[in-house]
Short mmCIF file of all heavy atoms in Angstrom, two decimals:
data_model
loop_
_atom_site.label_atom_id
_atom_site.label_comp_id
_atom_site.label_asym_id
_atom_site.label_seq_id
_atom_site.Cartn_x
_atom_site.Cartn_y
_atom_site.Cartn_z
N ILE X 21 -17.41 11.77 51.21
CA ILE X 21 -17.83 12.97 50.49
C ILE X 21 -19.32 12.90 50.16
O ILE X 21 -20.05 13.87 50.24
CB ILE X 21 -17.09 13.09 49.14
CG1 ILE X 21 -15.60 13.27 49.36
CG2 ILE X 21 -17.63 14.24 48.32
CD1 ILE X 21 -14.84 13.18 48.06
N ALA X 22 -19.76 11.69 49.76
CA ALA X 22 -21.11 11.55 49.24
C ALA X 22 -22.16 11.41 50.34
O ALA X 22 -23.34 11.54 50.08
CB ALA X 22 -21.17 10.34 48.31
N ALA X 23 -21.70 11.16 51.56
CA ALA X 23 -22.66 10.93 52.65
C ALA X 23 -23.61 12.11 52.77
O ALA X 23 -23.16 13.26 52.85
CB ALA X 23 -21.91 10.71 53.96
N PRO X 24 -24.92 11.83 52.77
CA PRO X 24 -25.90 12.91 52.81
C PRO X 24 -25.78 13.78 54.07
O PRO X 24 -26.22 14.91 54.08
CB PRO X 24 -27.24 12.18 52.80
CG PRO X 24 -26.95 10.79 52.37
CD PRO X 24 -25.53 10.51 52.73
N THR X 25 -25.17 13.21 55.10
CA THR X 25 -25.06 13.96 56.34
C THR X 25 -23.86 14.90 56.35
O THR X 25 -23.71 15.71 57.25
CB THR X 25 -24.90 12.99 57.53
OG1 THR X 25 -23.83 12.09 57.23
CG2 THR X 25 -26.17 12.21 57.76
N THR X 26 -23.00 14.77 55.34
CA THR X 26 -21.81 15.61 55.31
C THR X 26 -22.21 17.08 55.21
O THR X 26 -22.78 17.50 54.22
CB THR X 26 -20.93 15.27 54.09
OG1 THR X 26 -20.67 13.88 54.11
CG2 THR X 26 -19.61 16.03 54.15
N PRO X 27 -21.94 17.85 56.26
CA PRO X 27 -22.32 19.26 56.17
C PRO X 27 -21.35 20.03 55.29
O PRO X 27 -20.23 19.59 55.06
CB PRO X 27 -22.24 19.72 57.61
CG PRO X 27 -21.25 18.81 58.25
CD PRO X 27 -21.31 17.51 57.52
N TRP X 28 -21.80 21.14 54.82
CA TRP X 28 -21.00 22.00 53.97
C TRP X 28 -19.62 22.29 54.52
O TRP X 28 -18.63 22.24 53.84
CB TRP X 28 -21.72 23.34 53.82
CG TRP X 28 -22.47 23.45 52.57
CD1 TRP X 28 -23.45 22.62 52.15
CD2 TRP X 28 -22.31 24.44 51.57
NE1 TRP X 28 -23.91 23.03 50.93
CE2 TRP X 28 -23.24 24.17 50.56
CE3 TRP X 28 -21.49 25.55 51.44
CZ2 TRP X 28 -23.37 24.95 49.42
CZ3 TRP X 28 -21.60 26.34 50.32
CH2 TRP X 28 -22.54 26.03 49.32
N GLU X 29 -19.61 22.62 55.81
CA GLU X 29 -18.38 23.10 56.43
C GLU X 29 -17.30 22.03 56.44
O GLU X 29 -16.16 22.29 56.71
CB GLU X 29 -18.63 23.55 57.87
CG GLU X 29 -19.60 24.71 58.02
CD GLU X 29 -21.05 24.30 57.76
OE1 GLU X 29 -21.38 23.10 57.86
OE2 GLU X 29 -21.85 25.18 57.43
N SER X 30 -17.71 20.78 56.15
CA SER X 30 -16.75 19.71 56.37
C SER X 30 -15.86 19.43 55.17
O SER X 30 -15.07 18.51 55.20
CB SER X 30 -17.49 18.43 56.75
OG SER X 30 -18.19 17.98 55.62
N THR X 31 -15.98 20.24 54.11
CA THR X 31 -15.08 20.03 52.97
C THR X 31 -13.64 20.03 53.44
O THR X 31 -12.84 19.20 53.02
CB THR X 31 -15.29 21.12 51.91
OG1 THR X 31 -16.65 21.12 51.52
CG2 THR X 31 -14.42 20.86 50.69
N GLY X 32 -13.32 20.96 54.35
CA GLY X 32 -11.96 21.03 54.89
C GLY X 32 -11.57 19.74 55.59
O GLY X 32 -10.45 19.26 55.43
N ALA X 33 -12.53 19.15 56.31
CA ALA X 33 -12.25 17.90 57.02
C ALA X 33 -12.00 16.77 56.03
O ALA X 33 -11.10 15.94 56.22
CB ALA X 33 -13.41 17.56 57.95
N VAL X 34 -12.81 16.72 54.97
CA VAL X 34 -12.63 15.68 53.96
C VAL X 34 -11.26 15.85 53.30
O VAL X 34 -10.52 14.88 53.11
CB VAL X 34 -13.74 15.75 52.89
CG1 VAL X 34 -13.43 14.81 51.72
CG2 VAL X 34 -15.08 15.40 53.50
N LEU X 35 -10.91 17.08 52.98
CA LEU X 35 -9.63 17.32 52.31
C LEU X 35 -8.46 16.99 53.24
O LEU X 35 -7.42 16.52 52.80
CB LEU X 35 -9.54 18.76 51.82
CG LEU X 35 -10.50 19.10 50.69
CD1 LEU X 35 -10.37 20.55 50.27
CD2 LEU X 35 -10.28 18.19 49.48
N ARG X 36 -8.65 17.22 54.55
CA ARG X 36 -7.60 16.83 55.50
C ARG X 36 -7.44 15.30 55.49
O ARG X 36 -6.34 14.79 55.55
CB ARG X 36 -7.97 17.32 56.91
CG ARG X 36 -6.85 18.15 57.50
CD ARG X 36 -7.12 18.77 58.86
NE ARG X 36 -8.45 18.74 59.39
CZ ARG X 36 -9.35 19.73 59.26
NH1 ARG X 36 -9.04 20.81 58.58
NH2 ARG X 36 -10.53 19.62 59.81
N GLU X 37 -8.58 14.61 55.40
CA GLU X 37 -8.55 13.16 55.28
C GLU X 37 -7.77 12.73 54.04
O GLU X 37 -6.98 11.78 54.08
CB GLU X 37 -9.99 12.62 55.15
CG GLU X 37 -10.60 11.98 56.37
CD GLU X 37 -9.63 11.16 57.18
OE1 GLU X 37 -9.20 10.09 56.70
OE2 GLU X 37 -9.28 11.58 58.30
#
Side-chain angles (χ1 to χ4, degrees):
Chain X
I21 296 172
T25 52
T26 307
W28 260 58
E29 298 74 21
S30 70
T31 303
V34 171
L35 292 179
R36 234 176 350 266
E37 257 322 291

